Amino acid sequence: MPNECRLILKHADEPGYTPDIECYLRHGGYEVLKKALAIQPKTLPDGKTQSPQEQIRREVMASGLRGRGGAGFSCGLKWSFVDRKSGKPIYLICNADESEPGTFKDRQIIYKDPHQLIEGMIISCFANDVHLAYIYIRGEMPEGAKLLNKVLTEARTKHFLGKNILGSSYDLEIHVHRGAGAYICGEETGLIESLEGKRPYPRIKPPYFPAVLGLYMCPTIVNNVETLCAVKHIVAMGGAEYAKLGTPNNTGTRIVSISGHVKRPGYYEVEVGKVTIGELINDPAFGGGLRDGRKLKAVIPGGSSAKVFKAGEKFQIKGREVDMLDLPYDFDSLIAAGSMSGSSAIIVMDDSTDIVAALANIAEFYAHESCGQCTPCREGSLWMSKALHRLTHGEGRAQDADYLVKIADNIPGGRTICAFGEACSWPVQSFVAKFKDEFTAKGAADEERGVVNEAGPIASAH
Ligand SMILES: Cc1cc2nc3c(=O)[nH]c(=O)nc-3n(C[C@H](O)[C@H](O)[C@H](O)COP(=O)(O)O)c2cc1C
Ligand code: SF4
């Protein structure tokens, strides 16, 4: 029987657990920071010395932790790319933008156990010789920003922040920065531009890899809220022990947001890969199954930009056929099935769903959020949204399905500066590929009624 494995959310929903520092300290808070600051340099068999910072970085590498923000990139590897020889300051930014539709996990930490994030950040900063760090929080979470500022003040008062932290001679300051409510501010280089006070135009990579040319053109680490909390647990239990949680190459725990047509929408922390998509949707410990009398139609497994799965779909994984519902919920299985776990947000759609309307909703979001720097993304996302608007307003055409795919196919693949190009194309490509008959039938019915605007696909919308 699968169940939650609460590591990061261990205390978050306990009765009487509050976000203030006294409560956090009563539950062992900041003990792992003390442990980290007390680590002594280690002499290796070859006579070389390993600094405490290096030792922590090695533990994080050994843990196999993969970033929880979306791409699932190895945290240890990302930290190893940081240019430590430039002589410039190294910055760390906590990405608390959490704007991928369907995702509501980071805010649980921020609202319910914010000191855990601060402790994870301080340890991560110490491990990477960072003395100034930022929490970039999405504009729509003003209460979260207020709370973070309050707990930072508490942490300063107790000497967990500031000069000479706990007498260790390590200095660190953390500031909260509020976004103004744009999805693209979650993309790490757009975020960095925004933090610098500019429009959040993502930067082109190469050369602007944050680890080398990040904030103020200095080496910068950008990590998700949940990733930074996981670091605290890795230092507490050791990298090898952490790696025993989850499955090989998909270690640790992950907080999954489940929304849509399930009886128990919510957030659930599970060992990565130990629970299937079907269990997350149907098990009483998680989503609790579909609403009475309904059948499953589709599942978006990793936030709105992930490619949709159709109920009953089968995949060849490691030489065997696997039903979509039997896919282990981990990074690698979902990629092998042609989608991704992304921000670990599962959106469930039952047979009452108008799939064309659902895609129109998603496409409108992406058209609105494109930053506009790249022509294929700026124009393509808008054209797709317009065509879908037309299809959902009785003005479609039978060939709109092909038209949508043609646009979507011409946005990603190295034609854009950032991965938003993929993010806006994948839903369109996958929804149309898997539910083409619904798009065609809608357009054909409109044509039959003779309501098509002769001006053509683009000019006829809105
Ligand atoms: C369009 C776009 C939006 C993104 N939004 C977020 C976000 O809201 N939160 C987040 O942590 N990462 C987001 N990311 C991923 C970040 O660019 C970055 O990879 C991540 O913060 C790195 O942290 P991690 O390695 O701990 O996952 C987004 C990426 C793209 C392309
Ligand atoms: S892909 Fe889209 S969001 Fe990303 S930089 Fe280009 S226009 Fe902006």
Side-chain angles (χ1 to χ4, degrees):
M1 186 91 165
N3 234 318
E4 276 202 85
C5 174
R6 286 198 168 210
L7 184 69
I8 290 173
L9 294 180
K10 185 169 178 207
H11 299 301
D13 292 310
E14 275 173 12
Y17 191 78
T18 49
D20 55 275
I21 199 160
E22 297 305 335
C23 182
Y24 190 63
L25 292 172
R26 278 199 304 277
H27 288 77
Y30 291 104
E31 287 303 320
V32 188
L33 172 64
K34 288 179 193 162
K35 176 183 169 184
L37 293 177
I39 297 173
Q40 294 301 310
K42 193 159 96 183
T43 308
L44 300 173
D46 62 4
K48 285 190 187 150
T49 309
Q50 207 171 59
S51 69
Q53 289 84 347
E54 253 179 297
Q55 290 174 49
I56 297 174
R57 294 201 297 269
R58 278 174 180 270
E59 290 301 319
V60 171
M61 187 71 98
S63 74
L65 175 67
R66 293 170 69 166
R68 303 315 198 213
F73 192 75
S74 156
C75 181
L77 210 53
K78 177 184 278 193
W79 287 9
S80 77
F81 293 154
V82 171
D83 182 356
R84 299 176 201 281
K85 298 206 172 102
S86 68
K88 297 179 192 172
I90 300 170
Y91 295 109
L92 183 141
I93 304 170
C94 168
N95 189 342
D97 200 56
E98 188 160 71
S99 20
E100 179 76 13
T103 318
F104 43 90
K105 62 176 185 77
D106 294 339
R107 69 197 69 184
Q108 310 305 334
I109 299 165
I110 291 167
Y111 285 117
K112 296 173 182 170
D113 203 1
H115 277 289
Q116 183 183 191
L117 171 61
I118 306 303
E119 187 174 6
M121 281 186 74
I122 303 171
I123 296 167
S124 303
C125 288
F126 173 68
N128 287 286
D129 307 301
V130 171
H131 298 284
L132 185 55
Y134 296 89
I135 303 173
Y136 188 102
I137 185 165
R138 65 179 287 175
E140 293 91 334
M141 299 206 286
E143 291 306 317
K146 237 189 260 176
L147 183 57
L148 284 171
N149 273 315
K150 183 170 168 280
V151 300
L152 283 172
T153 305
E154 290 177 338
R156 273 179 214 115
T157 311
K158 301 273 185 194
H159 305 292
F160 297 128
L161 275 175
K163 296 254 176 243
N164 191 20
I165 294 171
L166 301 175
S168 65
S169 81
Y170 173 61
D171 306 337
L172 174 67
E173 195 42 85
I174 300 179
H175 298 297
V176 176
H177 184 99
R178 281 186 64 197
Y183 172 72
I184 200 59
C185 289
E187 194 281 334
E188 57 187 9
T189 60
L191 184 157
I192 287 171
E193 285 280 301
S194 170
L195 195 48
E196 289 182 2
K198 297 181 251 167
R199 291 181 78 138
Y201 280 158
R203 297 173 177 171
I204 199 153
K205 297 186 236 177
Y208 298 111
F209 290 109
V212 182
L213 295 171
L215 186 64
Y216 309 122
M217 291 298 137
C218 296
T220 302
I221 294 165
V222 183
N223 273 135
N224 172 260
V225 170
E226 192 186 342
T227 314
L228 292 164
C229 289
V231 169
K232 172 194 146 159
H233 297 282
I234 290 165
V235 173
M237 62 172 70
E241 207 54 35
Y242 182 88
K244 287 183 190 161
L245 291 169
T247 49
N249 205 39
N250 297 270
T251 58
T253 64
R254 251 195 124 171
I255 307 168
V256 187
S257 316
I258 306 180
S259 64
H261 300 148
V262 285
K263 286 193 184 131
R264 284 167 37 90
Y267 51 92
Y268 302 95
E269 187 172 359
V270 294
E271 282 188 69
V272 186
K274 290 271 176 82
V275 183
T276 64
I277 293 187
E279 286 166 338
L280 285 166
I281 294 173
N282 292 317
D283 200 275
F286 306 115
L290 299 180
R291 299 177 300 179
D292 291 337
R294 289 289 172 197
K295 282 197 194 112
L296 184 66
K297 183 166 185 175
V299 178
I300 304 177
S304 64
S305 57
K307 288 189 177 180
V308 71
F309 289 146
K310 189 177 180 173
E313 239 186 297
K314 309 258 189 273
F315 306 98
Q316 284 297 325
I317 310 277
K318 292 182 190 156
R320 70 183 182 101
E321 191 177 76
V322 180
D323 186 277
M324 179 268 282
L325 290 176
D326 296 328
L327 284 170
Y329 195 71
D330 64 37
F331 295 97
D332 296 337
S333 300
L334 269 67
I335 289 170
S339 188
M340 62 174 179
S341 60
S343 56
S344 71
I346 297 181
I347 302 168
V348 181
M349 289 176 266
D350 70 20
D351 56 357
S352 70
T353 307
D354 177 340
I355 215 79
V356 182
L359 181 62
N361 189 3
I362 293 171
E364 189 180 350
F365 170 77
Y366 285 107
H368 184 263
E369 297 299 328
S370 167
C371 87
Q373 279 191 100
C374 320
T375 307
C377 172
R378 182 188 63 239
E379 301 300 322
S381 60
L382 192 62
W383 293 355
M384 292 189 298
S385 177
K386 284 183 170 183
L388 283 157
H389 180 89
R390 194 176 56 216
L391 267 170
T392 46
H393 287 75
E395 296 177 2
R397 306 176 318 169
Q399 70 266 39
D400 275 339
D402 294 330
Y403 172 70
L404 280 164
V405 172
K406 194 172 163 192
I407 302 168
D409 285 350
N410 279 291
I411 300 172
R415 297 181 186 92
T416 60
I417 291 172
C418 86
F420 185 106
E422 275 80 11
C424 73
S425 306
W426 286 339
V428 173
Q429 288 168 330
S430 59
F431 270 71
V432 177
K434 294 175 186 183
F435 298 94
K436 189 167 180 184
D437 49 341
E438 295 195 30
F439 288 85
T440 309
K442 231 182 178 99
D446 291 347
E447 267 187 38
E448 235 177 82
R449 290 204 317 276
V451 291
V452 171
N453 182 335
E454 293 301 326
I458 297 160
S460 65
H462 289 302

